[in-house]
Amino acid sequence: MGRRFRGESHHKVDAKGRVSIPASFRRVLEASDPSCDPGGNPELVIVYGDQRRKFLECYTIDAINEVDDKIDALPRGSVQRKMLQRMFHGQSFPTSVDETGRLVLPAKLRSKIDLEKEAFFIAAGDTFQIWKPETYEEEELAQSEKWMEELPDDFDPMEFLDGVGGA
């Protein structure tokens, strides 16, 4: 596995759907696209999914290839394979970063998540997500706060990693 995305940021979206990608995210995209020359325009795949998904998930080429390999390993014709193919092949948009470090988000994708003047980017390991800022706060941030309220005040999140990876 290559480098990981880290951090979060807000970026303006112009009338044509252009939005700057955080510089550190661009470096990960470049490093995770085997056909991208240094300083070039890396490719990525934006998975938008069905109506329940309220964000766009952006996969590096390495990450989407890993997903594709796992889908291909499922039995041909199985419900699981069909569902995953629909989501990762059909409900996705291959694109590339332009010369100025921006993504052009088609109207269909912007409309799907009700994205207008501002986009919220948040890292998710080997992917990153693009949200409408208000939706992120209402849905994801509220859910995280709810989870944290259920934990003791002295809880250390590193406890989730105890026993993982044989360490």
Side-chain angles (χ1 to χ4, degrees):
M1 181 174 317
R3 296 174 54 192
R4 294 191 171 270
F5 296 101
R6 307 261 183 217
E8 61 185 31
S9 61
H10 289 83
H11 293 270
K12 298 282 184 218
V13 179
D14 73 13
K16 294 181 181 178
R18 295 176 298 204
V19 60
S20 291
I21 301 173
S24 64
F25 287 19
R26 290 194 305 266
R27 301 298 83 81
V28 176
L29 288 168
E30 290 168 6
S32 301
D33 181 352
S35 64
C36 182
D37 295 325
N41 300 4
E43 294 181 355
L44 66 149
V45 174
I46 302 172
V47 176
Y48 53 88
D50 66 18
Q51 73 281 358
R52 294 171 293 183
R53 187 174 270 214
K54 297 184 176 163
F55 60 91
L56 305 175
E57 185 115 31
C58 300
Y59 285 77
T60 67
I61 295 303
D62 285 346
I64 201 69
N65 285 340
E66 183 180 326
V67 170
D68 287 345
D69 289 345
K70 289 180 179 183
I71 292 170
D72 290 347
L74 293 169
R76 195 175 288 280
S78 70
V79 172
Q80 294 88 350
R81 183 170 174 161
K82 287 178 182 180
M83 286 176 54
L84 290 168
Q85 285 174 324
R86 182 172 299 119
M87 180 177 180
F88 287 96
H89 300 161
Q91 296 170 333
S92 66
F93 177 71
T95 189
S96 61
V97 178
D98 74 12
E99 303 77 32
T100 61
R102 297 181 300 187
L103 275 180
V104 178
L105 298 173
K108 175 182 178 175
L109 299 189
R110 294 192 318 269
S111 175
K112 179 173 185 318
I113 64 170
D114 197 25
L115 193 65
E116 295 171 351
K117 297 180 189 315
E118 188 176 47
F120 177 68
F121 287 74
I122 186 159
D126 63 350
T127 67
F128 65 90
Q129 298 170 352
I130 302 173
W131 289 79
K132 177 179 181 175
E134 297 83 358
T135 304
Y136 180 81
E137 289 178 22
E138 292 166 11
E139 306 243 341
E140 285 296 298
L141 206 51
Q143 182 65 44
S144 294
E145 288 173 6
K146 182 180 172 192
W147 290 335
M148 293 304 285
E149 287 173 5
E150 295 172 4
L151 298 170
D153 289 341
D154 63 345
F155 178 76
D156 180 357
M158 293 299 287
E159 289 181 31
F160 287 142
L161 299 177
D162 287 349
V164 174

